[in-house]
Amino acid sequence: MKEYHPKIVIDLKKLRHNIDQIKARCEARGVRVAGVIKGFSGIPACAKVFEEAGCQYIGSSRLEQLADAAAYGVKGPFMLIRLPMPGEVEDAVRLADISLNSEPAVLRALDAAAAKQGKRHDVILMADLGDLREGFWDEGELLEAALLVENELSNLRLAGIGTNLGCYGSIFPTAEKMRELVARAEAVEARIGRRLDIVSGGGSTSLPRIFDGDMPERVNQLRVGEAIVNARDARDLFGYDMSFMHQDVFVLRAEVVEVKDKPSMPVGEILFDAFGMKREYIDRGVRRRALLALGRVDYAFPDMIFPRDAGVEVLGASSDHTILDIEDAKREIRVGDTLEFTLCYASTAFATHSPNVKIAFA
Ligand SMILES: *Cc1c(COP(=O)(O)O)cnc(C)c1O
C-alpha cells in the first residue's frame, strides 16, 4: 500500500505511559490532572487515552475539539480552558462540564444558557498572578464575581479558583506564586462561607512544584498538556530529569525530494528569504544536502523539529520545503527516503493543525 507523507505517527502506548507517570506523581501530592488535548489539535483517539487513564477532566481551549472527542465516544468530563467567547456560551454549556472564567457578563450569559438547557455548569474563576493573560487582576473584583456566582447565578456552581502562568508574561510558577493563589482561594472561601473544591495551579510549567515537593497543600489540580505530550520543557528549559518519560509520542515523518552537494553559502546578492527576513549564512564549504517535502506552513519553526538521525541538521525552511545538512549523517540518505523528527509543543500544535500532515498510529 502507498504510504503518504508528511505524516505524524502517534504511539498511544507511550502517550498512556506519559499520562500515568505525570498522574502518579501529581496524585501522590493530592493533585488531580486535567488532561489538556489542545497541543495536538484534540485528535480524538488521543483524547480517549487521557480518559482511559483516569484524568479528572479532558480539557481544551477549543470547543470543536471537545465536540470531536465526544463524537468519538469520549465521555469526559470536559473542561473549556479558554475563557468562553460570549458567542459560544450555548455550546460551552452543551459541550463542557466546567469552564475557566474572568468576566461577569460571560458568567451571566453562561447562567442563562445553563437555565435554558436545564443544566448545571461549573466554573473556575481565574486569578491573574502576574503572567498578564486571563484572570482577575483586582482581588475585589474576583471576590465580587465569586459572590455573583454563589448567590445569584443559580445554574452555575463555583467549583474553584485557578491561575495560569508561564504563557504570555513568562512568569515561573514558584512556590510563592502558588501560595498567592491559595491566599486568593481562601479569601474567596471567607467571602462565600464555604470551602472550594478546586484550586487549579496552572499547566505543565507548574509541575516543578510537584517534582520539588513544594506545592502548597491546597493546590489540588493541574491542567497538563505539554509535559505529557512532549515532555520537553521541564527537561530542556528547567533542567529536570525527564528520562522516565517518552519524548517521542508524536513523530513527524517527511519524504526526501532532492539530495545534492551544494555550497553552504548562497551564491549571489543576499537579500531576503521567503518570509521577508534577513538571514545569516555560515560558509562551511560544499556539503551534502537533502530537501524535504514539508515546510514552515506545516510546523512554523525550523529549529523546533528535531531530526532523529544522528548527524542530520535542519538548516532552514520555506513554506513547503525544509533544507537539511546531511554531510555528517550516519546513514546514506536518498531521494524517496523518509526522515523522522521529534517535536516540541509548538511544532506538534502546528503540524497536527496542518491538513497536509496525515495522522497515523504506531
Ligand atoms: C494551554 C493551557 C493549559 C495547558 O498548558 P500546557 O503547557 O500544555 O500544560 C492549561 N491551562 C490553560 C488555561 C491553558 O490555556
Side-chain angles (χ1 to χ4, degrees):
M1 207 178 84
K2 173 104 187 65
E3 252 204 296
Y4 289 95
H5 289 99
K7 69 178 170 194
I8 280 187
V9 182
I10 305 169
D11 189 323
L12 295 176
K13 284 203 188 67
K14 289 182 178 176
L15 176 62
R16 176 61 189 264
H17 168 95
N18 281 6
I19 300 168
D20 289 344
Q21 290 291 320
I22 293 297
K23 219 171 135 269
R25 280 165 176 76
C26 287
E27 286 176 359
R29 307 223 155 246
V31 172
R32 305 268 334 255
V33 172
V36 174
I37 63 171
K38 71 176 191 225
F40 50 84
S41 307
I43 296 164
C46 299
K48 183 83 187 158
V49 177
F50 279 78
E51 179 189 56
E52 286 165 355
C55 286
Q56 184 185 22
Y57 292 102
I58 308 298
S60 179
S61 46
R62 299 183 186 247
L63 287 174
E64 294 91 330
Q65 294 175 6
L66 300 185
D68 286 352
Y72 187 79
V74 179
K75 299 271 183 303
F78 293 112
M79 175 183 252
L80 177 61
I81 61 170
R82 183 169 66 188
L83 307 177
M85 290 184 250
E88 71 179 1
V89 287
E90 303 271 347
D91 288 338
V93 168
R94 189 167 54 82
L95 294 165
D97 300 280
I98 187 168
S99 58
L100 309 183
N101 284 275
S102 70
E103 287 291 348
V106 177
L107 289 164
R108 289 179 192 280
L110 284 170
D111 181 61
K116 215 159 103 190
Q117 293 176 34
K119 267 188 156 181
R120 191 194 66 181
H121 183 77
D122 286 358
V123 296
I124 288 179
L125 297 181
M126 296 297 277
D128 187 341
L129 301 179
D131 204 58
L132 308 183
R133 203 178 71 180
E134 75 274 50
F136 289 94
W137 183 251
D138 183 85
E139 184 168 331
E141 277 178 34
L142 170 67
L143 296 176
E144 262 176 54
L147 277 179
L148 172 72
V149 175
E150 186 73 2
N151 297 333
E152 290 176 45
L153 306 180
S154 57
N155 305 287
L156 301 186
R157 189 182 72 102
L158 180 57
I161 297 296
T163 196
N164 197 67
L165 293 160
C167 277
Y168 168 71
S170 315
I171 297 302
F172 187 55
T174 55
E176 181 58 35
K177 282 289 174 201
M178 292 295 104
R179 283 192 291 273
E180 271 180 53
L181 175 65
V182 172
R184 299 287 163 101
E186 287 173 346
V188 167
E189 288 173 338
R191 188 63 65 92
I192 63 173
R194 69 170 173 90
R195 205 173 149 92
L196 294 167
D197 290 347
I198 298 176
V199 180
S200 190
S204 295
T205 51
S206 295
L207 280 169
R209 301 285 60 78
I210 300 291
F211 300 152
D212 291 356
D214 59 0
M215 182 67 96
E217 239 174 65
R218 283 298 313 272
V219 176
N220 62 4
Q221 180 189 80
L222 292 179
R223 310 173 304 268
V224 184
E226 189 280 331
I228 288 170
V229 175
N230 305 102
R232 292 193 85 98
D233 289 356
R235 181 190 72 185
D236 298 353
L237 306 180
F238 302 120
Y240 286 86
D241 176 11
M242 297 296 279
S243 55
F244 60 93
M245 299 287 282
H246 296 295
Q247 278 81 23
D248 58 352
V249 175
F250 286 69
V251 173
L252 179 62
R253 291 181 62 176
E255 198 164 342
V256 176
V257 292
E258 182 184 293
V259 175
K260 295 194 189 305
D261 291 331
K262 295 191 184 184
S264 37
M265 197 68 185
V267 179
E269 193 179 340
I270 294 180
L271 279 178
F272 304 104
D273 74 3
F275 289 86
M277 309 292 265
K278 286 253 182 209
R279 281 205 47 187
E280 301 281 321
Y281 301 88
I282 301 161
D283 191 353
R284 296 194 286 170
V286 171
R287 293 179 66 87
R288 196 139 187 89
R289 292 167 168 247
L291 208 55
L292 290 176
L294 92 164
R296 294 180 74 143
V297 297
D298 301 305
Y299 55 74
F301 307 108
D303 58 344
M304 292 192 187
I305 62 171
F306 310 98
R308 293 189 103 181
D309 274 278
V312 170
E313 190 188 335
V314 179
L315 292 174
S318 58
S319 332
D320 304 298
H321 295 86
T322 303
I323 300 111
L324 305 175
D325 183 307
I326 58 167
E327 179 75 26
D328 302 324
K330 297 287 175 277
R331 64 174 171 121
E332 197 195 339
I333 293 169
R334 287 161 306 203
V335 171
D337 284 354
T338 56
L339 289 183
E340 294 191 342
F341 299 81
T342 56
L343 303 170
C344 64
Y345 182 82
S347 46
T348 308
F350 283 106
T352 52
H353 262 284
S354 170
N356 305 121
V357 179
K358 284 85 185 161
I359 301 295
F361 296 94

